[in-house]
Amino acid sequence: MNRKKILILNIISVFLVLSGCQSDSNNTDSDSKKPSVTISWWGGESRNDATIAAVKQFEQLNDVEINIEYGAWSGWETRMAARIYSDSMSDVMQINQNWITMYESSDRQRFYDLGELSDIIDFSQYSEESIERCSYEGEIKAVPVSLTSKLFYFNENTFRKAGIDVPETLDELYAAGETFRDVLGDDYYPLSLGEYDRMILMVYYLESVYGREWITNKKLNYSKDEIIQGLKFISSLEDRHVIPDVKKLSGDGALSLDKNVNWITGKYAGIFEWDSTISKFIDSVDEQQHICLGGYLNGMGSYDGGFSKISLAFAISENTKYPELCARLINFLLNEEEGVKLMGVQRGVPLSSKARQICTDNNLIDEMTMDANTQIMERTKFIVDPYFEYTCLKSENGGVYFDVMSGLSYGDYTVSEAAEKLIKGIDEVLQ
């Protein structure tokens, strides 16, 4: 049985457990008999507050009822997958781009064809490429919100305590690891990476060295020897005190880095994060810390590595009773001035030309956010393949990436064994 079939069975099992505690389902009308739909999303506090405010404003302007469902990312994808497979997804759902490939098929549609609602949703504000990334077999399945990539962010306060500048090159990052250990102590690191971040950084490194996409046309473009080289690079970051090992991170007892006391107090002084979600990490540090953009790290190879992706998108359930209302809600949030001003840039700099201009005119895009987005637009040449983010690869519960990166860190696998496991797991998804 391959990983995709196992994933589906696991999701169904999870849904049976969760079904008893789901919030009130979508497609129901309230006692007031107003049209009623449900919208769901995940995010940190600032994103939640902005989205709630925008949804409430839409309710008041349109005399409708919008039920909301939101939460943290941890466990969210599994929960939403269960809802999708059981045909109980919310009417409007914030999704990752790869969910389209994961859940759509030629014989079973999950997401509404938004091309049928183009008289309501202003698709003229988006590039053809961004719409294509959110399409399946010629149908538009979601409206893209922003383009994102992983960039380096550093805590200037901690680097100042160590007496050094924020690194701009790989060699400077290696040197920072040694300085942190010698000057600040063993508990201080210039960077922190979880298992999935290590996988993305490894691909960033290999693309910098070889100038090739990681996956194209359902084919892995790197050999075992090349992947071994990438895994050795990740191990070198531990060996040179750049990042804490997985055992150390697990012992911190935090569900995510923004809740890790070592990040909050500046002992972990760097992060490799999507520009569309960095705000929750900045908001989480104590008042003595100051996070700055490190951007791209030079000196890895002859190419600009790293990939971009549609950070988030909004889709509509194929089963909704009110597709036009859902489309009006999405267009309000992403293309209309009142909604855009309330949403701000909590999901990154908007891809909608109109929304971007509204945010610019109203000074909603801070300098660091704009700088990060500009670097992404100028330097990121590679595009993530949707298969890269399949749940059975990136899941914290048994995903191949977590197994390989954790096993390598703990010493359970040699780099050769880790490369073999990684290749086997990816090939099973690509079959």
Side-chain angles (χ1 to χ4, degrees):
M1 185 178 296
N2 65 31
R3 289 184 180 274
K4 286 185 279 188
K5 292 180 179 178
I6 292 172
L7 171 64
I8 292 172
L9 291 175
N10 286 341
I11 286 170
I12 292 172
S13 298
V14 170
F15 178 74
L16 293 175
V17 174
L18 292 173
S19 57
C21 58
Q22 294 292 341
S23 61
D24 227 1
S25 63
N26 46 318
N27 294 333
T28 59
D29 292 334
S30 68
D31 293 338
S32 64
K33 296 185 179 180
K34 293 180 181 179
S36 175
V37 298
T38 302
I39 180 172
S40 63
W41 73 89
W42 70 89
E45 184 176 357
S46 55
R47 178 185 295 174
N48 297 338
D49 290 345
T51 311
I52 291 169
V55 168
K56 293 301 180 185
Q57 181 69 2
F58 180 83
E59 272 188 323
Q60 294 176 14
L61 292 172
N62 293 275
D63 193 29
V64 295
E65 182 177 294
I66 310 296
N67 299 303
I68 61 176
E69 181 182 2
Y70 61 91
W73 171 250
S74 180
W76 184 265
E77 185 170 16
T78 300
R79 183 182 179 191
M80 292 301 104
R83 297 276 295 279
I84 292 170
Y85 278 120
S86 63
D87 290 327
S88 62
M89 64 182 281
S90 51
D91 297 279
V92 177
M93 175 181 276
Q94 176 182 288
I95 66 170
N96 277 326
Q97 175 193 344
N98 68 301
W99 290 17
I100 298 170
T101 307
M102 286 178 65
Y103 302 124
E104 288 290 273
S105 66
S106 57
D107 57 355
R108 182 65 177 89
Q109 294 188 5
R110 308 286 183 180
F111 304 119
Y112 204 93
D113 177 10
L114 302 186
E116 297 180 6
L117 301 168
S118 58
D119 57 330
I120 301 174
I121 300 173
D122 187 1
F123 287 111
S124 69
Q125 301 301 323
Y126 301 87
S127 67
E128 290 185 9
E129 179 188 9
S130 65
I131 295 300
E132 179 61 30
R133 291 199 200 187
C134 292
S135 299
Y136 183 85
E137 295 188 347
E139 295 185 355
I140 303 172
K141 294 299 183 178
V143 185
V145 178
S146 60
L147 189 74
T148 190
S149 183
K150 284 243 179 187
L151 301 173
F152 290 94
Y153 295 83
F154 295 107
N155 189 326
E156 285 185 309
N157 178 69
T158 309
F159 278 88
R160 192 178 301 114
K161 285 171 61 177
I164 57 175
D165 294 330
V166 166
E168 296 181 358
T169 68
L170 178 58
D171 285 343
E172 290 176 357
L173 181 62
Y174 280 137
E178 297 168 3
T179 299
F180 270 46
R181 181 185 57 216
D182 296 342
V183 175
L184 301 178
D186 289 340
D187 290 337
Y188 282 80
Y189 295 86
L191 187 64
S192 179
L193 297 173
E195 291 92 334
Y196 187 44
D197 294 331
R198 293 171 187 228
M199 180 65 200
I200 296 175
L201 183 56
M202 188 192 79
V203 173
Y204 178 115
Y205 170 79
L206 289 174
E207 288 174 343
S208 298
V209 173
Y210 293 102
R212 298 198 303 268
E213 296 273 11
W214 177 247
I215 294 172
T216 51
N217 299 320
K218 299 184 72 173
K219 180 180 182 298
L220 180 62
N221 290 327
Y222 286 84
S223 67
K224 178 183 174 181
D225 286 343
E226 289 168 341
I227 291 173
I228 286 174
Q229 180 182 354
L231 292 169
K232 286 182 176 179
F233 162 68
I234 296 298
S235 293
S236 74
L237 298 178
E238 281 190 6
D239 296 340
R240 301 183 67 168
H241 201 79
V242 173
I243 60 175
D245 59 31
V246 172
K247 182 178 180 180
K248 164 71 172 153
L249 286 172
S250 298
D252 291 341
L255 291 176
S256 56
L257 186 62
D258 60 305
K259 296 177 173 60
N260 191 311
V261 67
N262 289 310
W263 165 258
I264 294 169
T265 59
K267 287 187 174 181
Y268 296 164
I271 189 173
F272 185 53
E273 186 54 48
W274 305 110
D275 74 304
S276 56
T277 58
I278 189 58
S279 60
K280 70 176 181 179
F281 295 93
I282 295 174
D283 293 343
S284 69
V285 297
D286 66 38
E287 64 278 1
Q288 298 179 33
Q289 315 307 322
H290 181 259
I291 308 302
C292 71
L293 173 65
Y296 284 85
L297 201 63
N298 297 314
M300 291 189 182
S302 302
Y303 305 90
D304 282 334
F307 51 67
S308 65
K309 68 170 186 173
I310 299 297
S311 59
L312 299 166
F314 281 110
I316 297 175
S317 169
E318 174 70 15
N319 298 320
T320 185
K321 288 169 59 179
Y322 300 110
E324 292 82 9
L325 174 56
C326 293
R328 284 163 49 205
L329 173 59
I330 290 175
N331 199 64
F332 176 79
L333 298 177
L334 302 185
N335 289 318
E336 296 179 20
E337 184 166 3
E338 285 188 80
V340 169
K341 287 167 69 175
L342 289 168
M343 294 279 275
V345 292
Q346 293 303 324
R347 290 171 172 83
V349 177
L351 275 171
S352 163
S353 298
K354 185 176 182 180
R356 188 185 184 100
Q357 190 61 54
I358 291 169
C359 288
T360 301
D361 292 344
N362 289 274
N363 298 315
L364 298 177
I365 309 176
D366 62 86
E367 184 177 353
M368 185 168 71
T369 299
M370 180 57 77
D371 190 11
N373 190 255
T374 300
Q375 288 196 47
I376 290 168
M377 294 297 184
E378 291 178 350
R379 297 192 60 172
T380 307
K381 305 298 188 295
F382 300 104
I383 299 172
V384 67
D385 185 275
Y387 292 97
F388 181 87
E389 295 190 305
Y390 262 45
T391 304
C392 53
L393 293 176
K394 71 173 187 176
S395 171
E396 296 181 29
N397 300 312
V400 173
Y401 300 155
F402 278 79
D403 175 39
V404 166
M405 292 301 174
S406 177
L408 186 65
S409 180
Y410 274 97
D412 296 334
Y413 304 141
T414 65
V415 287
S416 179
E417 291 169 337
E420 289 174 359
K421 285 183 174 291
L422 185 59
I423 292 169
K424 181 181 179 183
I426 292 171
D427 284 345
E428 287 179 356
V429 168
L430 298 180
Q431 290 176 358

